[in-house]
Amino acid sequence: MSTEQSTPEVDVDVVIVGAGGGGLAAALAAADAGASVVVLEKLDAPGGNTALSTGSIPAAGSRFQREAGVEDDPDRMTADLLRQSGPHEAEHLTRRLAETSAALVEWLVDDHAIGLSLITDYKHVGHTVTRLHAPRSRRGIDLSNDLVAACRRAGVDIVTGNPVTELVVEDGAVRGVVVEGERTERHVIRAGAVVLAANGFAANRDLVARWAPELAGLEYFGAHGSTGEAIEWGLELGATMRNRSAFQGYAAVAYPHGSILSWTTQEKGGVIVDSRGVRLGDEIVGYSGFAAEVLTGTAPIWAVYDARIRDITLREEEFAELVEMGGAKECATIDDLASVVGVDVEALRSTLDAYAAAARGDEPDSHGRTDFGIAPLEPPYVASRVSPGLFHTQGGLDVDDDARVLRENGSPVPGLFAVGGVAAGVSGQQGGRGYSSGNGLLTAVGLGRLAGTAAAEGQA
Ligand SMILES: Cc1cc2nc3c(=O)[nH]c(=O)nc-3n(C[C@H](O)[C@H](O)[C@H](O)COP(=O)(O)OP(=O)(O)OC[C@H]3O[C@@H](n4cnc5c(N)ncnc54)[C@H](O)[C@@H]3O)c2cc1C
């Protein structure tokens, strides 16, 4: 596009589109490298999906793991993520992000005072060792607030309520952005490089229907800003999408609360049943992959676990709040449980008996589950009503090892970077099943740091 003479212009080294985890990490890295940086956020507050997440970032070989006696390295992390994702179109990113992950979390904590520590009480989906690093509260809003504070200390401008509507492109190179909104007059910010950190397209039903129609049945539980325009700008410049069908689903959004029912309830031995009182699959495929199984059940859907599992999971703040709000109903007997869940008691008894036999090792599990936590379940039982949801899309623009957007022929679009949900993710090509815990923030914050450093090169 070209700019009109009357449109006011500002110049900076690096413009970042989107103030979620990816954009804020990119801004910090670019500022560290001496660049002048502005972050433009279309909504009235920074945070995006990052603020709604549990803030868990995987890293292999971090000093926090060493201090906890956890042996890990990037090869193991790469193998773990690829086992979960299966082969895919951006495997170079899996390797690159694993190799830079320890430096990423150490940089966040040591250089920028971001509050992260190693989660030692669960590993979650895809990981063979404990490698998720999260705020103590396990709330992404704390990660987001820490990143915003670090950006302010680093002299980064974060401007909210400023939607980017177009890229400024001259002779095939990206040279800035156009900003225009209901409360913001059209203006141009010229820059040496632009980092697209605007997340994916899960909040845009038209793009979901076009790019990932299999997600259409899932209700979206993420932030409203993920409307996919940044991916469209990249495509207009000749870029391609990779791993387009990948997404993070969540099988157990607490109903009607809308918060996450921790998957620890399942990993420790719980099950998911539908209105017929039957289980819907192997819960250990993970909270993302299991969302598709839940769609095959008949509502209402309930997670069933027991008081021991509830008490273990109470360490997680969001779960504790759900319990406080009445989202975990204790039932003394199977009859009580059947009445709370609203299913035929004999059907439920038969399901739980068969599951207990599998957990004891007396019989193979009818759904192939092999990890039962502390099951068989014991009274008192606990039940939480849940529904499946879509958290974010993982497919996006093809990028190189430093998040430069690539055209179909493999050449970079000069001046353009993409991170997080705008970039190809590392969750494979099998819908929600390829998602390992932390893949979302890994591609956001991990690629963000790499993009910020590369975008600042030669500009400061
Ligand atoms: C409930 C929930 C729990 C999750 N838990 C985890 C977890 O524990 N670990 C994990 O790895 N992932 C998790 N995820 C996924 C994770 O939150 C996302 O993958 C990650 O936050 C994406 O970061 P991002 O910076 O790419 O996008 P976001 O954090 O969404 O930030 C993008 C920002 O760009 C803004 N924006 C969009 N378009 C424009 C525009 N045109 N102009 C200006 N601004 C724009 C948006 O408003 C938004 O603020 C979870 C997601 C949800 C919904």
PDB file of all heavy atoms in Angstrom, residues 92 169-175 233-242 396-400 403-418:
ATOM      1  N   HIS A  92      11.418 -27.641  12.034  1.00  0.00           N
ATOM      2  CA  HIS A  92      12.589 -26.821  12.375  1.00  0.00           C
ATOM      3  C   HIS A  92      12.303 -25.944  13.586  1.00  0.00           C
ATOM      4  O   HIS A  92      13.182 -25.668  14.389  1.00  0.00           O
ATOM      5  CB  HIS A  92      13.027 -25.974  11.169  1.00  0.00           C
ATOM      6  CG  HIS A  92      12.000 -24.965  10.710  1.00  0.00           C
ATOM      7  ND1 HIS A  92      10.803 -25.328  10.125  1.00  0.00           N
ATOM      8  CD2 HIS A  92      11.980 -23.612  10.786  1.00  0.00           C
ATOM      9  CE1 HIS A  92      10.108 -24.238   9.842  1.00  0.00           C
ATOM     10  NE2 HIS A  92      10.806 -23.180  10.232  1.00  0.00           N
ATOM     11  N   VAL A 169       3.812  -1.353   2.723  1.00  0.00           N
ATOM     12  CA  VAL A 169       4.716  -2.186   1.926  1.00  0.00           C
ATOM     13  C   VAL A 169       5.284  -1.349   0.786  1.00  0.00           C
ATOM     14  O   VAL A 169       4.536  -0.686   0.057  1.00  0.00           O
ATOM     15  CB  VAL A 169       3.953  -3.401   1.338  1.00  0.00           C
ATOM     16  CG1 VAL A 169       4.907  -4.296   0.544  1.00  0.00           C
ATOM     17  CG2 VAL A 169       3.289  -4.202   2.446  1.00  0.00           C
ATOM     18  N   GLU A 170       6.614  -1.353   0.669  1.00  0.00           N
ATOM     19  CA  GLU A 170       7.268  -0.603  -0.414  1.00  0.00           C
ATOM     20  C   GLU A 170       8.250  -1.529  -1.110  1.00  0.00           C
ATOM     21  O   GLU A 170       9.130  -2.104  -0.450  1.00  0.00           O
ATOM     22  CB  GLU A 170       7.996   0.619   0.160  1.00  0.00           C
ATOM     23  CG  GLU A 170       7.018   1.662   0.690  1.00  0.00           C
ATOM     24  CD  GLU A 170       7.689   2.756   1.517  1.00  0.00           C
ATOM     25  OE1 GLU A 170       8.912   2.678   1.746  1.00  0.00           O
ATOM     26  OE2 GLU A 170       6.967   3.671   1.942  1.00  0.00           O
ATOM     27  N   ASP A 171       8.093  -1.666  -2.413  1.00  0.00           N
ATOM     28  CA  ASP A 171       8.960  -2.562  -3.204  1.00  0.00           C
ATOM     29  C   ASP A 171       9.067  -3.947  -2.575  1.00  0.00           C
ATOM     30  O   ASP A 171      10.150  -4.527  -2.454  1.00  0.00           O
ATOM     31  CB  ASP A 171      10.375  -1.964  -3.343  1.00  0.00           C
ATOM     32  CG  ASP A 171      10.330  -0.618  -4.053  1.00  0.00           C
ATOM     33  OD1 ASP A 171       9.443  -0.444  -4.915  1.00  0.00           O
ATOM     34  OD2 ASP A 171      11.150   0.250  -3.705  1.00  0.00           O
ATOM     35  N   GLY A 172       7.969  -4.462  -2.115  1.00  0.00           N
ATOM     36  CA  GLY A 172       7.936  -5.827  -1.568  1.00  0.00           C
ATOM     37  C   GLY A 172       8.457  -5.936  -0.147  1.00  0.00           C
ATOM     38  O   GLY A 172       8.439  -7.024   0.434  1.00  0.00           O
ATOM     39  N   ALA A 173       8.917  -4.816   0.439  1.00  0.00           N
ATOM     40  CA  ALA A 173       9.436  -4.877   1.812  1.00  0.00           C
ATOM     41  C   ALA A 173       8.458  -4.195   2.762  1.00  0.00           C
ATOM     42  O   ALA A 173       7.851  -3.171   2.415  1.00  0.00           O
ATOM     43  CB  ALA A 173      10.792  -4.195   1.889  1.00  0.00           C
ATOM     44  N   VAL A 174       8.309  -4.745   3.967  1.00  0.00           N
ATOM     45  CA  VAL A 174       7.405  -4.153   4.953  1.00  0.00           C
ATOM     46  C   VAL A 174       8.140  -3.019   5.651  1.00  0.00           C
ATOM     47  O   VAL A 174       9.243  -3.201   6.175  1.00  0.00           O
ATOM     48  CB  VAL A 174       6.919  -5.222   5.948  1.00  0.00           C
ATOM     49  CG1 VAL A 174       6.085  -4.592   7.056  1.00  0.00           C
ATOM     50  CG2 VAL A 174       6.107  -6.280   5.199  1.00  0.00           C
ATOM     51  N   ARG A 175       7.517  -1.844   5.648  1.00  0.00           N
ATOM     52  CA  ARG A 175       8.180  -0.647   6.175  1.00  0.00           C
ATOM     53  C   ARG A 175       7.367   0.048   7.263  1.00  0.00           C
ATOM     54  O   ARG A 175       7.636   1.186   7.613  1.00  0.00           O
ATOM     55  CB  ARG A 175       8.433   0.352   5.026  1.00  0.00           C
ATOM     56  CG  ARG A 175       9.416  -0.136   3.999  1.00  0.00           C
ATOM     57  CD  ARG A 175      10.842  -0.098   4.576  1.00  0.00           C
ATOM     58  NE  ARG A 175      11.815  -0.678   3.678  1.00  0.00           N
ATOM     59  CZ  ARG A 175      12.592  -1.734   3.968  1.00  0.00           C
ATOM     60  NH1 ARG A 175      12.493  -2.340   5.132  1.00  0.00           N
ATOM     61  NH2 ARG A 175      13.470  -2.191   3.107  1.00  0.00           N
ATOM     62  N   TRP A 233      -2.663 -10.689   6.137  1.00  0.00           N
ATOM     63  CA  TRP A 233      -1.686  -9.750   5.545  1.00  0.00           C
ATOM     64  C   TRP A 233      -0.477 -10.527   5.025  1.00  0.00           C
ATOM     65  O   TRP A 233       0.050 -10.233   3.960  1.00  0.00           O
ATOM     66  CB  TRP A 233      -1.201  -8.722   6.571  1.00  0.00           C
ATOM     67  CG  TRP A 233      -2.283  -7.896   7.197  1.00  0.00           C
ATOM     68  CD1 TRP A 233      -3.475  -7.541   6.637  1.00  0.00           C
ATOM     69  CD2 TRP A 233      -2.277  -7.348   8.513  1.00  0.00           C
ATOM     70  NE1 TRP A 233      -4.203  -6.806   7.525  1.00  0.00           N
ATOM     71  CE2 TRP A 233      -3.497  -6.657   8.681  1.00  0.00           C
ATOM     72  CE3 TRP A 233      -1.372  -7.351   9.566  1.00  0.00           C
ATOM     73  CZ2 TRP A 233      -3.831  -6.000   9.865  1.00  0.00           C
ATOM     74  CZ3 TRP A 233      -1.692  -6.689  10.741  1.00  0.00           C
ATOM     75  CH2 TRP A 233      -2.905  -6.023  10.885  1.00  0.00           C
ATOM     76  N   GLY A 234      -0.035 -11.512   5.806  1.00  0.00           N
ATOM     77  CA  GLY A 234       1.114 -12.316   5.375  1.00  0.00           C
ATOM     78  C   GLY A 234       0.805 -13.075   4.095  1.00  0.00           C
ATOM     79  O   GLY A 234       1.620 -13.113   3.161  1.00  0.00           O
ATOM     80  N   LEU A 235      -0.394 -13.646   4.030  1.00  0.00           N
ATOM     81  CA  LEU A 235      -0.768 -14.407   2.829  1.00  0.00           C
ATOM     82  C   LEU A 235      -0.808 -13.494   1.606  1.00  0.00           C
ATOM     83  O   LEU A 235      -0.386 -13.882   0.514  1.00  0.00           O
ATOM     84  CB  LEU A 235      -2.126 -15.090   3.030  1.00  0.00           C
ATOM     85  CG  LEU A 235      -2.181 -16.166   4.128  1.00  0.00           C
ATOM     86  CD1 LEU A 235      -3.591 -16.721   4.269  1.00  0.00           C
ATOM     87  CD2 LEU A 235      -1.199 -17.303   3.838  1.00  0.00           C
ATOM     88  N   GLU A 236      -1.301 -12.259   1.813  1.00  0.00           N
ATOM     89  CA  GLU A 236      -1.349 -11.313   0.682  1.00  0.00           C
ATOM     90  C   GLU A 236       0.042 -11.002   0.141  1.00  0.00           C
ATOM     91  O   GLU A 236       0.203 -10.652  -1.020  1.00  0.00           O
ATOM     92  CB  GLU A 236      -2.017  -9.993   1.121  1.00  0.00           C
ATOM     93  CG  GLU A 236      -3.542 -10.091   1.177  1.00  0.00           C
ATOM     94  CD  GLU A 236      -4.147  -8.981   2.042  1.00  0.00           C
ATOM     95  OE1 GLU A 236      -3.475  -7.962   2.289  1.00  0.00           O
ATOM     96  OE2 GLU A 236      -5.307  -9.168   2.487  1.00  0.00           O
ATOM     97  N   LEU A 237       1.052 -11.143   0.998  1.00  0.00           N
ATOM     98  CA  LEU A 237       2.423 -10.868   0.554  1.00  0.00           C
ATOM     99  C   LEU A 237       3.124 -12.125   0.041  1.00  0.00           C
ATOM    100  O   LEU A 237       4.346 -12.141  -0.120  1.00  0.00           O
ATOM    101  CB  LEU A 237       3.225 -10.257   1.707  1.00  0.00           C
ATOM    102  CG  LEU A 237       2.800  -8.846   2.103  1.00  0.00           C
ATOM    103  CD1 LEU A 237       3.537  -8.377   3.341  1.00  0.00           C
ATOM    104  CD2 LEU A 237       3.058  -7.880   0.945  1.00  0.00           C
ATOM    105  N   GLY A 238       2.363 -13.192  -0.175  1.00  0.00           N
ATOM    106  CA  GLY A 238       2.939 -14.392  -0.788  1.00  0.00           C
ATOM    107  C   GLY A 238       3.402 -15.445   0.204  1.00  0.00           C
ATOM    108  O   GLY A 238       4.012 -16.447  -0.181  1.00  0.00           O
ATOM    109  N   ALA A 239       3.122 -15.226   1.501  1.00  0.00           N
ATOM    110  CA  ALA A 239       3.507 -16.240   2.496  1.00  0.00           C
ATOM    111  C   ALA A 239       2.540 -17.420   2.421  1.00  0.00           C
ATOM    112  O   ALA A 239       1.472 -17.328   1.804  1.00  0.00           O
ATOM    113  CB  ALA A 239       3.483 -15.628   3.887  1.00  0.00           C
ATOM    114  N   THR A 240       2.934 -18.520   3.069  1.00  0.00           N
ATOM    115  CA  THR A 240       2.048 -19.689   3.103  1.00  0.00           C
ATOM    116  C   THR A 240       1.721 -20.015   4.552  1.00  0.00           C
ATOM    117  O   THR A 240       2.448 -19.625   5.465  1.00  0.00           O
ATOM    118  CB  THR A 240       2.728 -20.947   2.514  1.00  0.00           C
ATOM    119  OG1 THR A 240       4.058 -20.990   2.996  1.00  0.00           O
ATOM    120  CG2 THR A 240       2.687 -20.980   1.034  1.00  0.00           C
ATOM    121  N   MET A 241       0.641 -20.781   4.733  1.00  0.00           N
ATOM    122  CA  MET A 241       0.311 -21.245   6.085  1.00  0.00           C
ATOM    123  C   MET A 241       0.845 -22.645   6.282  1.00  0.00           C
ATOM    124  O   MET A 241       0.840 -23.453   5.354  1.00  0.00           O
ATOM    125  CB  MET A 241      -1.206 -21.256   6.291  1.00  0.00           C
ATOM    126  CG  MET A 241      -1.757 -19.935   6.754  1.00  0.00           C
ATOM    127  SD  MET A 241      -3.540 -20.027   6.992  1.00  0.00           S
ATOM    128  CE  MET A 241      -3.632 -20.410   8.747  1.00  0.00           C
ATOM    129  N   ARG A 242       1.277 -22.945   7.498  1.00  0.00           N
ATOM    130  CA  ARG A 242       1.739 -24.286   7.859  1.00  0.00           C
ATOM    131  C   ARG A 242       0.930 -24.798   9.050  1.00  0.00           C
ATOM    132  O   ARG A 242       0.498 -24.019   9.891  1.00  0.00           O
ATOM    133  CB  ARG A 242       3.222 -24.260   8.246  1.00  0.00           C
ATOM    134  CG  ARG A 242       4.137 -23.749   7.144  1.00  0.00           C
ATOM    135  CD  ARG A 242       4.343 -24.804   6.079  1.00  0.00           C
ATOM    136  NE  ARG A 242       5.325 -24.380   5.098  1.00  0.00           N
ATOM    137  CZ  ARG A 242       5.255 -24.644   3.803  1.00  0.00           C
ATOM    138  NH1 ARG A 242       4.226 -25.302   3.314  1.00  0.00           N
ATOM    139  NH2 ARG A 242       6.202 -24.254   2.988  1.00  0.00           N
ATOM    140  N   GLY A 396      -0.262 -21.261  11.314  1.00  0.00           N
ATOM    141  CA  GLY A 396      -0.054 -19.878  10.905  1.00  0.00           C
ATOM    142  C   GLY A 396       1.005 -19.775   9.832  1.00  0.00           C
ATOM    143  O   GLY A 396       1.306 -20.752   9.139  1.00  0.00           O
ATOM    144  N   LEU A 397       1.576 -18.581   9.706  1.00  0.00           N
ATOM    145  CA  LEU A 397       2.499 -18.306   8.600  1.00  0.00           C
ATOM    146  C   LEU A 397       3.808 -19.068   8.749  1.00  0.00           C
ATOM    147  O   LEU A 397       4.345 -19.202   9.859  1.00  0.00           O
ATOM    148  CB  LEU A 397       2.802 -16.800   8.545  1.00  0.00           C
ATOM    149  CG  LEU A 397       1.592 -15.879   8.363  1.00  0.00           C
ATOM    150  CD1 LEU A 397       2.029 -14.411   8.429  1.00  0.00           C
ATOM    151  CD2 LEU A 397       0.890 -16.172   7.033  1.00  0.00           C
ATOM    152  N   ASP A 398       4.314 -19.532   7.631  1.00  0.00           N
ATOM    153  CA  ASP A 398       5.617 -20.191   7.611  1.00  0.00           C
ATOM    154  C   ASP A 398       6.685 -19.167   8.000  1.00  0.00           C
ATOM    155  O   ASP A 398       6.706 -18.051   7.471  1.00  0.00           O
ATOM    156  CB  ASP A 398       5.880 -20.698   6.179  1.00  0.00           C
ATOM    157  CG  ASP A 398       7.060 -21.650   6.116  1.00  0.00           C
ATOM    158  OD1 ASP A 398       7.497 -22.147   7.175  1.00  0.00           O
ATOM    159  OD2 ASP A 398       7.534 -21.898   4.994  1.00  0.00           O
ATOM    160  N   VAL A 399       7.541 -19.535   8.941  1.00  0.00           N
ATOM    161  CA  VAL A 399       8.625 -18.628   9.359  1.00  0.00           C
ATOM    162  C   VAL A 399       9.931 -19.409   9.463  1.00  0.00           C
ATOM    163  O   VAL A 399       9.918 -20.632   9.613  1.00  0.00           O
ATOM    164  CB  VAL A 399       8.329 -17.953  10.729  1.00  0.00           C
ATOM    165  CG1 VAL A 399       7.135 -17.023  10.652  1.00  0.00           C
ATOM    166  CG2 VAL A 399       8.149 -18.996  11.832  1.00  0.00           C
ATOM    167  N   ASP A 400      11.051 -18.667   9.404  1.00  0.00           N
ATOM    168  CA  ASP A 400      12.345 -19.337   9.554  1.00  0.00           C
ATOM    169  C   ASP A 400      12.738 -19.392  11.033  1.00  0.00           C
ATOM    170  O   ASP A 400      11.940 -19.067  11.911  1.00  0.00           O
ATOM    171  CB  ASP A 400      13.416 -18.660   8.671  1.00  0.00           C
ATOM    172  CG  ASP A 400      13.868 -17.296   9.208  1.00  0.00           C
ATOM    173  OD1 ASP A 400      13.446 -16.900  10.319  1.00  0.00           O
ATOM    174  OD2 ASP A 400      14.655 -16.621   8.505  1.00  0.00           O
ATOM    175  N   ALA A 403      11.954 -16.390  13.015  1.00  0.00           N
ATOM    176  CA  ALA A 403      10.577 -15.897  12.876  1.00  0.00           C
ATOM    177  C   ALA A 403      10.368 -14.942  11.706  1.00  0.00           C
ATOM    178  O   ALA A 403       9.373 -14.206  11.667  1.00  0.00           O
ATOM    179  CB  ALA A 403      10.086 -15.275  14.190  1.00  0.00           C
ATOM    180  N   ARG A 404      11.306 -14.940  10.738  1.00  0.00           N
ATOM    181  CA  ARG A 404      11.063 -14.138   9.521  1.00  0.00           C
ATOM    182  C   ARG A 404       9.985 -14.831   8.695  1.00  0.00           C
ATOM    183  O   ARG A 404      10.083 -16.038   8.449  1.00  0.00           O
ATOM    184  CB  ARG A 404      12.329 -14.050   8.657  1.00  0.00           C
ATOM    185  CG  ARG A 404      13.384 -13.177   9.216  1.00  0.00           C
ATOM    186  CD  ARG A 404      14.598 -13.120   8.287  1.00  0.00           C
ATOM    187  NE  ARG A 404      15.682 -12.486   9.013  1.00  0.00           N
ATOM    188  CZ  ARG A 404      16.519 -13.144   9.833  1.00  0.00           C
ATOM    189  NH1 ARG A 404      16.417 -14.453   9.977  1.00  0.00           N
ATOM    190  NH2 ARG A 404      17.448 -12.493  10.484  1.00  0.00           N
ATOM    191  N   VAL A 405       9.004 -14.059   8.224  1.00  0.00           N
ATOM    192  CA  VAL A 405       7.934 -14.649   7.414  1.00  0.00           C
ATOM    193  C   VAL A 405       8.505 -15.050   6.053  1.00  0.00           C
ATOM    194  O   VAL A 405       9.221 -14.264   5.406  1.00  0.00           O
ATOM    195  CB  VAL A 405       6.769 -13.648   7.246  1.00  0.00           C
ATOM    196  CG1 VAL A 405       5.729 -14.187   6.272  1.00  0.00           C
ATOM    197  CG2 VAL A 405       6.127 -13.356   8.601  1.00  0.00           C
ATOM    198  N   LEU A 406       8.175 -16.285   5.632  1.00  0.00           N
ATOM    199  CA  LEU A 406       8.717 -16.819   4.380  1.00  0.00           C
ATOM    200  C   LEU A 406       7.656 -16.882   3.298  1.00  0.00           C
ATOM    201  O   LEU A 406       6.506 -17.243   3.569  1.00  0.00           O
ATOM    202  CB  LEU A 406       9.269 -18.230   4.622  1.00  0.00           C
ATOM    203  CG  LEU A 406      10.396 -18.336   5.652  1.00  0.00           C
ATOM    204  CD1 LEU A 406      10.778 -19.805   5.859  1.00  0.00           C
ATOM    205  CD2 LEU A 406      11.612 -17.510   5.225  1.00  0.00           C
ATOM    206  N   ARG A 407       8.078 -16.549   2.078  1.00  0.00           N
ATOM    207  CA  ARG A 407       7.180 -16.734   0.927  1.00  0.00           C
ATOM    208  C   ARG A 407       7.161 -18.211   0.560  1.00  0.00           C
ATOM    209  O   ARG A 407       7.979 -19.000   1.044  1.00  0.00           O
ATOM    210  CB  ARG A 407       7.687 -15.929  -0.265  1.00  0.00           C
ATOM    211  CG  ARG A 407       7.684 -14.428  -0.036  1.00  0.00           C
ATOM    212  CD  ARG A 407       7.856 -13.729  -1.392  1.00  0.00           C
ATOM    213  NE  ARG A 407       7.995 -12.294  -1.214  1.00  0.00           N
ATOM    214  CZ  ARG A 407       9.182 -11.674  -1.096  1.00  0.00           C
ATOM    215  NH1 ARG A 407      10.324 -12.358  -1.133  1.00  0.00           N
ATOM    216  NH2 ARG A 407       9.219 -10.367  -0.943  1.00  0.00           N
ATOM    217  N   GLU A 408       6.256 -18.536  -0.352  1.00  0.00           N
ATOM    218  CA  GLU A 408       6.122 -19.937  -0.761  1.00  0.00           C
ATOM    219  C   GLU A 408       7.457 -20.495  -1.282  1.00  0.00           C
ATOM    220  O   GLU A 408       7.771 -21.667  -1.074  1.00  0.00           O
ATOM    221  CB  GLU A 408       5.047 -20.041  -1.844  1.00  0.00           C
ATOM    222  CG  GLU A 408       4.568 -21.445  -2.022  1.00  0.00           C
ATOM    223  CD  GLU A 408       3.083 -21.512  -2.348  1.00  0.00           C
ATOM    224  OE1 GLU A 408       2.493 -20.460  -2.655  1.00  0.00           O
ATOM    225  OE2 GLU A 408       2.550 -22.629  -2.300  1.00  0.00           O
ATOM    226  N   ASN A 409       8.269 -19.639  -1.937  1.00  0.00           N
ATOM    227  CA  ASN A 409       9.550 -20.126  -2.483  1.00  0.00           C
ATOM    228  C   ASN A 409      10.656 -20.145  -1.431  1.00  0.00           C
ATOM    229  O   ASN A 409      11.822 -20.415  -1.740  1.00  0.00           O
ATOM    230  CB  ASN A 409       9.982 -19.267  -3.682  1.00  0.00           C
ATOM    231  CG  ASN A 409      10.284 -17.820  -3.276  1.00  0.00           C
ATOM    232  OD1 ASN A 409      10.343 -17.498  -2.088  1.00  0.00           O
ATOM    233  ND2 ASN A 409      10.460 -16.958  -4.269  1.00  0.00           N
ATOM    234  N   GLY A 410      10.320 -19.856  -0.160  1.00  0.00           N
ATOM    235  CA  GLY A 410      11.309 -19.942   0.921  1.00  0.00           C
ATOM    236  C   GLY A 410      12.074 -18.654   1.166  1.00  0.00           C
ATOM    237  O   GLY A 410      12.853 -18.576   2.128  1.00  0.00           O
ATOM    238  N   SER A 411      11.852 -17.631   0.347  1.00  0.00           N
ATOM    239  CA  SER A 411      12.580 -16.364   0.586  1.00  0.00           C
ATOM    240  C   SER A 411      11.806 -15.532   1.607  1.00  0.00           C
ATOM    241  O   SER A 411      10.573 -15.551   1.648  1.00  0.00           O
ATOM    242  CB  SER A 411      12.721 -15.588  -0.721  1.00  0.00           C
ATOM    243  OG  SER A 411      11.437 -15.205  -1.171  1.00  0.00           O
ATOM    244  N   PRO A 412      12.542 -14.789   2.478  1.00  0.00           N
ATOM    245  CA  PRO A 412      11.843 -13.994   3.491  1.00  0.00           C
ATOM    246  C   PRO A 412      11.166 -12.758   2.908  1.00  0.00           C
ATOM    247  O   PRO A 412      11.662 -12.183   1.936  1.00  0.00           O
ATOM    248  CB  PRO A 412      12.950 -13.586   4.466  1.00  0.00           C
ATOM    249  CG  PRO A 412      14.239 -13.854   3.787  1.00  0.00           C
ATOM    250  CD  PRO A 412      14.001 -14.750   2.606  1.00  0.00           C
ATOM    251  N   VAL A 413      10.025 -12.381   3.498  1.00  0.00           N
ATOM    252  CA  VAL A 413       9.412 -11.092   3.159  1.00  0.00           C
ATOM    253  C   VAL A 413      10.211 -10.050   3.947  1.00  0.00           C
ATOM    254  O   VAL A 413      10.174 -10.067   5.181  1.00  0.00           O
ATOM    255  CB  VAL A 413       7.928 -11.045   3.596  1.00  0.00           C
ATOM    256  CG1 VAL A 413       7.331  -9.671   3.306  1.00  0.00           C
ATOM    257  CG2 VAL A 413       7.125 -12.161   2.950  1.00  0.00           C
ATOM    258  N   PRO A 414      10.966  -9.163   3.280  1.00  0.00           N
ATOM    259  CA  PRO A 414      11.832  -8.254   4.028  1.00  0.00           C
ATOM    260  C   PRO A 414      11.046  -7.424   5.041  1.00  0.00           C
ATOM    261  O   PRO A 414       9.981  -6.892   4.741  1.00  0.00           O
ATOM    262  CB  PRO A 414      12.443  -7.357   2.935  1.00  0.00           C
ATOM    263  CG  PRO A 414      12.321  -8.148   1.680  1.00  0.00           C
ATOM    264  CD  PRO A 414      11.076  -8.976   1.823  1.00  0.00           C
ATOM    265  N   GLY A 415      11.575  -7.380   6.256  1.00  0.00           N
ATOM    266  CA  GLY A 415      10.986  -6.535   7.297  1.00  0.00           C
ATOM    267  C   GLY A 415       9.814  -7.146   8.038  1.00  0.00           C
ATOM    268  O   GLY A 415       9.216  -6.473   8.882  1.00  0.00           O
ATOM    269  N   LEU A 416       9.473  -8.395   7.752  1.00  0.00           N
ATOM    270  CA  LEU A 416       8.268  -8.951   8.388  1.00  0.00           C
ATOM    271  C   LEU A 416       8.577 -10.213   9.207  1.00  0.00           C
ATOM    272  O   LEU A 416       9.188 -11.159   8.705  1.00  0.00           O
ATOM    273  CB  LEU A 416       7.207  -9.282   7.334  1.00  0.00           C
ATOM    274  CG  LEU A 416       5.827  -9.626   7.901  1.00  0.00           C
ATOM    275  CD1 LEU A 416       5.224  -8.439   8.666  1.00  0.00           C
ATOM    276  CD2 LEU A 416       4.865 -10.070   6.800  1.00  0.00           C
ATOM    277  N   PHE A 417       8.127 -10.195  10.456  1.00  0.00           N
ATOM    278  CA  PHE A 417       8.303 -11.320  11.377  1.00  0.00           C
ATOM    279  C   PHE A 417       6.924 -11.739  11.895  1.00  0.00           C
ATOM    280  O   PHE A 417       6.014 -10.919  11.961  1.00  0.00           O
ATOM    281  CB  PHE A 417       9.173 -10.897  12.569  1.00  0.00           C
ATOM    282  CG  PHE A 417      10.597 -10.551  12.194  1.00  0.00           C
ATOM    283  CD1 PHE A 417      10.894  -9.316  11.606  1.00  0.00           C
ATOM    284  CD2 PHE A 417      11.627 -11.449  12.407  1.00  0.00           C
ATOM    285  CE1 PHE A 417      12.198  -8.993  11.254  1.00  0.00           C
ATOM    286  CE2 PHE A 417      12.934 -11.140  12.058  1.00  0.00           C
ATOM    287  CZ  PHE A 417      13.226  -9.904  11.473  1.00  0.00           C
ATOM    288  N   ALA A 418       6.795 -13.024  12.275  1.00  0.00           N
ATOM    289  CA  ALA A 418       5.521 -13.497  12.857  1.00  0.00           C
ATOM    290  C   ALA A 418       5.820 -14.440  14.010  1.00  0.00           C
ATOM    291  O   ALA A 418       6.717 -15.278  13.912  1.00  0.00           O
ATOM    292  CB  ALA A 418       4.677 -14.205  11.805  1.00  0.00           C
TER     293      ALA A 418
END
